[in-house]
Amino acid sequence: MWNTNDLIVARATAIGFSSRQIVRVAGEGLSRVLLELFDDLCGGLSRSKGPGSLLRVRLSEKSLGSQWGPLELDILYWPGESGPIGAPLAEIQLPHSMPLVDAVVGAICDKGGRIARGGEFTLRAFLAGRLDLVQAESILSVVDSQTPQQLTSALDRMAGGLGARLEQTRSTILDMAGDIEAMIDFSDEHADIALHTELLHRVENILGELQNVSLEFDVR
């Protein structure tokens, strides 16, 4: 089992030309590593908790700055448990330079980090309750989407649309269970017939909704 406290790092943007590249870092010792690699220009890196914020930093001359110069850049930083994975997380925003990206990733690994395994950031978000299982699996569906329909369906699931529908169906089933218990406890022949008919109708609606959800979830 992966240690969810390890300091992990990975490039968060696809390989190819873009105006900027993002390196994502999370785990124990995050603030220490960032302070060793960058000069904090606004005092945000030293915070131990709080909401996420966009911070301005500079490559430290004691580390990467000695080779790359005093380059200024931004870091989107969640120092506490309020972020996307329920633990300290940073997204280092770099100009598009693959050698620089590799240098930042390598420097973090030199200071105790390791390359994140596939899906490891998503796993941490799921374990922290930031994503439900449907949303976590939907991230893979977004990556694997081949058509606009598949992408739209996957994005809806990732946004919680499918999970909300399942939660509503669960609530309906629990309400129905309460009605059945009441029917057993307070039996009345005429009321039982009407309630029985209503329950059958509700069961049919539930089965129809679950079938629709299943068909949408199976879109690839």
Side-chain angles (χ1 to χ4, degrees), residues 9-14 16-25 34 37-39 54-60 63-65 68-76 90-108:
V9 57
R11 186 177 56 242
T13 42
F17 180 79
S18 62
S19 61
R20 130 179 343 189
Q21 291 283 319
I22 296 175
V23 172
R24 182 173 295 146
V25 198
L34 294 178
L37 294 181
F38 307 103
D39 293 329
L54 188 65
L55 309 178
R56 192 68 176 172
V57 300
R58 180 172 53 220
L59 294 182
S60 173
S63 183
L64 297 170
W68 294 91
L71 176 67
E72 292 190 8
L73 49 89
D74 295 321
I75 295 180
L76 188 57
E91 293 188 343
I92 306 168
Q93 303 183 19
L94 303 165
H96 182 85
S97 168
M98 294 314 299
L100 175 58
V101 171
D102 292 340
V104 170
V105 171
I108 293 170

Side-chain angles (χ1 to χ4, degrees), residues 2-217:
W2 299 342
N3 186 338
T4 56
N5 295 319
D6 283 352
L7 183 66
I8 56 175
V9 57
R11 186 177 56 242
T13 42
I15 296 176
F17 180 79
S18 62
S19 61
R20 130 179 343 189
Q21 291 283 319
I22 296 175
V23 172
R24 182 173 295 146
V25 198
E28 287 185 352
L30 173 60
S31 61
R32 171 188 59 80
V33 169
L34 294 178
L35 286 169
E36 291 178 3
L37 294 181
F38 307 103
D39 293 329
D40 189 356
L41 301 181
C42 53
L45 286 178
S46 58
R47 293 184 316 200
S48 60
K49 57 182 179 180
S53 55
L54 188 65
L55 309 178
R56 192 68 176 172
V57 300
R58 180 172 53 220
L59 294 182
S60 173
E61 292 184 359
K62 298 179 180 179
S63 183
L64 297 170
S66 62
Q67 177 182 1
W68 294 91
L71 176 67
E72 292 190 8
L73 49 89
D74 295 321
I75 295 180
L76 188 57
Y77 182 49
W78 292 269
E81 299 179 356
S82 62
I85 65 170
L89 172 70
E91 293 188 343
I92 306 168
Q93 303 183 19
L94 303 165
H96 182 85
S97 168
M98 294 314 299
L100 175 58
V101 171
D102 292 340
V104 170
V105 171
I108 293 170
C109 290
D110 289 341
K111 294 185 177 299
R114 63 170 173 80
I115 301 298
R117 299 178 176 91
E120 193 164 2
F121 284 98
T122 300
L123 173 64
R124 294 191 182 189
F126 169 70
L127 293 176
R130 295 299 189 269
L131 298 174
D132 60 30
L133 183 59
V134 172
Q135 291 172 300
E137 292 180 339
S138 297
I139 292 175
L140 178 60
S141 297
V142 169
V143 175
D144 291 341
S145 294
Q146 301 293 321
T147 67
Q149 179 186 10
Q150 292 173 350
L151 178 60
T152 299
S153 177
L155 288 172
D156 178 66
R157 296 199 303 271
M158 191 168 67
L162 191 60
R165 290 170 59 185
L166 289 174
E167 182 60 30
Q168 179 59 48
T169 300
R170 176 180 179 274
S171 178
T172 300
I173 292 173
L174 291 176
D175 290 342
M176 189 169 61
D179 291 340
I180 293 174
E181 291 176 358
M183 184 177 67
I184 294 173
D185 293 337
F186 306 99
S187 180
D188 178 270
E189 182 177 352
H190 296 292
D192 288 352
I193 294 175
L195 182 57
H196 185 267
T197 301
E198 179 188 351
L199 289 175
L200 285 177
H201 180 67
R202 289 162 68 181
V203 168
E204 290 174 354
N205 288 338
I206 290 171
L207 291 176
E209 175 65 6
L210 290 175
Q211 184 176 19
N212 290 336
V213 167
S214 177
L215 289 173
E216 292 181 25
F217 189 75

